[in-house]
Amino acid sequence: MDLGKAEAARARNRERSSIFASAVGQPRTLFDSVRRRLVLVVLLALAPIAVLNIVQGVMQLSDAEEAARQRLLQQAVAAAVSQQNIFASTENVLYALKNVEEVRAAGQSCAATLRGATISLPFAANIGVLDAQGRVTCAALPFPGRSVGEEPWWKEAIGRTGFSLVGPTRSPGANLDVLVGILPLRDAAGRLEGAIALGIDIRWLDNLLKQQIPPSAGIVALFSNRGQELVSNARTMSAALFQREMFQTTGQDLRSNLYESTDPAGKSWTFATAPLDRDGLTVAFAMPSDRLFGWTFVTVAASIALPALIIILSLAALWVAVDRIILRWLLYLRRVTAVYAQGHYGFRPTRLGAAPSEFRVLGHAVENMAFAVRHRDARLRENLAEKTALVREIHHRIKNSLQVVVSLLSLYGSGIGKSEDRRRFDQLRLRVNTLALVHRILYEANDGSQVHLRELLGELASLIEGSTDANVRITVEAQDAPLPTDMAVPLALMVVEVALNLALPQGTGSAAVLLSGSRNGERLHIALRSATGTWDSKGSATDLASGFAAQLGGSLGCRDEAGGGLVVAGDFPCRPNTGPRTTVPRTTGPNTGRMA
């Protein structure tokens, strides 16, 4: 029982799908739909709010970038304060030692004085006095080689007038990497007498920077104007984050921007740079981007995602609401109208009881329209049946009348001997018989609005073969295509005239004719082929055939085949059927006047 019920349900669904198949439609354009137009309206309404939120998010991001830049600059400047203090202390010590005559002249107490100064300065690796050629004349620690005249930093330092920082370089006396703070000594005329140099321990500077700013709080580094890294709290990370080329400037162009970099682990960092007011030094400070902009990204993402979420939820709610409130009932009404269009007027739209009032009113209107159409359809069917019966009766009477005419022609023509007059008399009788044949086919047709090409041409072939004295063999190759009734008479008469002209040439006792016909869309093609026939372009049959071809809306053409024989063919427009009517050929005019 359950299987039987399931099969019955599937059968009902298949029947319903077949009934509703014609009700399915697709929008012609993108917005040719109620749902899509409503979606567009909602989008246009929410678009200004979404744009304002996005603009606000972009402004917040810009403000956050400026705040992060200021924060990094403050951190960088704060990190460089201790370094600047060390450099300032170095400068003060050198200026103080410059005023000590024993030190300036490299006297006996010079080394002891310099050694005491070195001990008192924790960052000092060595202090020395040099002559104008760069030879060490006095030093706190022994200085192997006793000359720096060929060192690049020496040549750079003696070109300046005051204190400067040069390096980094290796201190032979202390065996350490140092920055050299150097103060040239000049006489009253400005001539170089020598210099006092102090080596600042770079390792000590790094440790001091690590104590102030651990690497976990950020990466800070100090660069010379040649891009050399002088001091850093994490040299491995700073080497990976900071590009040396960007520091080969005075630092003035690096103040206003934030820069992005990536460490070896693939983590993103953001850093800012700040120039120091000493010897073109630049300090750089970097922090992880997620820690610097973490909440900023969340805030900006929320300001952008929130309107997008609102739009998505609004569209989803609108989509569901339109589908449940409007489109469902529209689709149901469309299916109801499709059912009515197929003639199922007993169908009742019972589901509209749950629809909104507007759709209930519309459903009742559609139902009333279906009842009106049903009554009108019944009247039209009665009128059509009556009209069809009258048309069939007309065809029947015309056929009977023409058969009487044919009988009279046969009676009066029996006394005419075999001559040219008899041949013309037989052709006239064949033409009248053709008209009778067409009306018989129209009378016997189930559908009075059309005839079939194969049936018409086959009947014509039999009529022509039985109505001529010559041994005519006509083979028919035609499609079983429907034709409008108003084409039947002129087409049949045209085929008869062409067949007579091809089948009965002068001096020929028999002929073989191939009659073919096909319909391709709204075009009808007719061709008659004869292996022995001739075509008289000025004969009466030719004129009649051309007249009927013109009445069909086309023309006939004649050509010789390569293997011998003759082909007469025509191509005609095949109009759609407009009703069960038959057009009788004209009996006046230059072409048809010869039928009498």
Side-chain angles (χ1 to χ4, degrees), residues 437 440-441 450-463 474-484 488 491-492 495 515-519 524-526 574:
L437 171 66
R440 178 178 63 81
I441 292 175
Q450 62 184 14
V451 295
H452 291 274
L453 180 62
R454 181 184 299 172
E455 179 186 5
L456 177 62
L457 296 184
E459 294 284 353
L460 286 175
S462 299
L463 179 63
I474 300 179
T475 304
V476 177
E477 294 180 358
Q479 296 178 348
D480 191 17
L483 296 177
L491 177 62
V495 171
L515 175 59
S516 61
S518 62
R519 178 175 178 177
L524 174 65
H525 182 75
I526 299 295
C574 192

Side-chain angles (χ1 to χ4, degrees), residues 427-441:
Q427 289 182 357
L428 177 59
R429 186 177 59 184
L430 175 60
R431 292 179 181 117
V432 177
N433 246 336
T434 301
L435 292 175
L437 171 66
V438 173
H439 285 284
R440 178 178 63 81
I441 292 175

Side-chain angles (χ1 to χ4, degrees), residues 63-358:
D63 294 340
E65 288 183 352
E66 179 61 23
R69 188 182 69 84
Q70 294 297 333
R71 177 183 175 187
L72 291 176
L73 289 177
Q74 291 174 2
Q75 295 275 12
V77 172
V81 169
S82 59
Q83 311 297 319
Q84 289 182 307
N85 292 336
I86 298 299
F87 301 150
S89 298
T90 301
E91 183 178 4
N92 293 334
V93 168
L94 293 182
Y95 272 106
L97 292 175
K98 173 184 176 182
N99 295 327
V100 178
E101 187 61 29
E102 282 293 319
V103 174
R104 186 183 182 98
Q108 293 182 354
S109 61
C110 174
T113 302
L114 296 180
R115 191 175 302 111
T118 302
I119 295 173
S120 64
L121 299 174
F123 55 84
N126 196 4
I127 304 177
V129 180
L130 301 91
D131 61 12
Q133 286 73 37
R135 293 187 296 269
V136 179
T137 58
C138 177
L141 298 176
F143 195 89
R146 310 295 296 177
S147 177
V148 295
E150 299 300 325
E151 295 290 336
W153 59 266
W154 168 259
K155 296 179 181 180
E156 178 183 354
I158 61 177
R160 302 177 183 178
T161 58
F163 173 81
S164 61
L165 285 171
V166 293
T169 187
R170 189 75 177 176
S171 172
N175 195 26
L176 297 171
D177 291 329
V178 297
L179 287 176
V180 179
I182 187 169
L183 178 65
L185 302 176
R186 300 184 184 276
D187 57 14
R191 291 188 296 271
L192 181 68
E193 293 181 345
I196 302 177
L198 188 151
I200 304 173
D201 187 358
I202 292 179
R203 186 176 59 185
W204 189 90
L205 294 176
D206 289 347
N207 292 332
L208 178 63
L209 198 57
K210 290 179 183 179
Q211 293 175 4
Q212 293 178 338
I213 303 177
S216 59
I219 305 299
V220 61
L222 184 67
F223 293 90
S224 68
N225 59 357
R226 294 191 298 274
Q228 294 174 305
E229 185 180 83
L230 305 179
V231 184
S232 175
N233 65 343
R235 289 189 175 271
T236 303
M237 286 293 295
S238 63
L241 296 178
F242 305 126
Q243 298 178 358
R244 304 297 182 267
E245 294 79 7
M246 67 182 302
F247 298 99
Q248 294 178 357
T249 65
T250 60
Q252 298 299 323
D253 296 332
L254 304 177
R255 181 185 295 270
S256 60
N257 294 325
L258 291 178
Y259 302 92
E260 296 289 334
S261 186
T262 305
D263 62 14
K267 187 177 181 180
S268 178
W269 292 68
T270 302
F271 67 92
T273 61
L276 301 182
D277 298 331
R278 182 182 296 277
D279 299 307
L281 299 180
T282 303
V283 63
F285 190 88
M287 290 183 64
S289 299
D290 56 355
R291 190 169 67 186
L292 189 63
F293 296 104
W295 286 107
T296 301
F297 288 148
V298 173
T299 304
V300 173
S303 63
I304 296 176
L306 183 60
L309 181 61
I310 293 174
I311 291 176
I312 292 174
L313 292 178
S314 300
L315 294 181
L318 178 64
W319 190 275
V320 175
V322 170
D323 184 72
R324 301 298 298 173
I325 299 174
I326 300 176
L327 296 184
R328 180 176 63 160
W329 303 113
L330 287 178
L331 178 60
Y332 181 70
L333 286 174
R334 187 171 62 181
R335 291 174 175 175
V336 169
T337 57
V339 171
Y340 288 153
Q342 295 181 3
H344 301 276
Y345 298 112
F347 182 80
R348 294 293 179 268
T350 56
R351 289 177 55 188
L352 287 177
S357 60
E358 293 83 357

Side-chain angles (χ1 to χ4, degrees), residues 390-422:
L390 291 176
V391 170
R392 289 169 61 88
E393 182 63 23
I394 291 173
H395 287 309
H396 180 62
R397 294 190 179 187
I398 293 175
K399 180 203 68 169
N400 292 340
S401 299
L402 292 175
Q403 285 180 345
V404 171
V405 173
V406 171
S407 300
L408 292 174
L409 290 175
S410 300
L411 179 61
Y412 286 108
S414 60
I416 302 176
K418 292 185 178 181
S419 63
E420 183 64 22
D421 293 335
R422 178 60 181 267

Side-chain angles (χ1 to χ4, degrees), residues 460-576:
L460 286 175
S462 299
L463 179 63
I464 295 172
E465 288 179 351
S467 300
T468 57
D469 296 334
N471 186 13
V472 180
R473 299 185 307 278
I474 300 179
T475 304
V476 177
E477 294 180 358
Q479 296 178 348
D480 191 17
L483 296 177
T485 56
D486 58 356
M487 295 184 66
V489 172
L491 177 62
L493 293 175
M494 182 193 72
V495 171
V496 167
E497 298 300 333
V498 175
L500 289 175
N501 202 14
L502 287 176
L504 299 174
Q506 294 294 332
T508 302
S510 63
V513 177
L514 174 62
L515 175 59
S516 61
S518 62
R519 178 175 178 177
N520 186 11
E522 295 185 359
R523 303 297 298 180
L524 174 65
H525 182 75
I526 299 295
L528 290 94
R529 294 175 174 83
S530 175
T532 59
T534 60
W535 182 258
D536 185 3
S537 61
K538 296 182 180 181
S540 60
T542 302
D543 292 338
L544 287 173
S546 300
F548 293 131
Q551 188 174 349
L552 288 171
S555 60
L556 290 173
C558 179
R559 69 176 186 275
D560 295 327
E561 288 190 318
L566 188 67
V567 178
V568 179
D571 190 68
F572 311 99
C574 192
R575 297 177 297 279

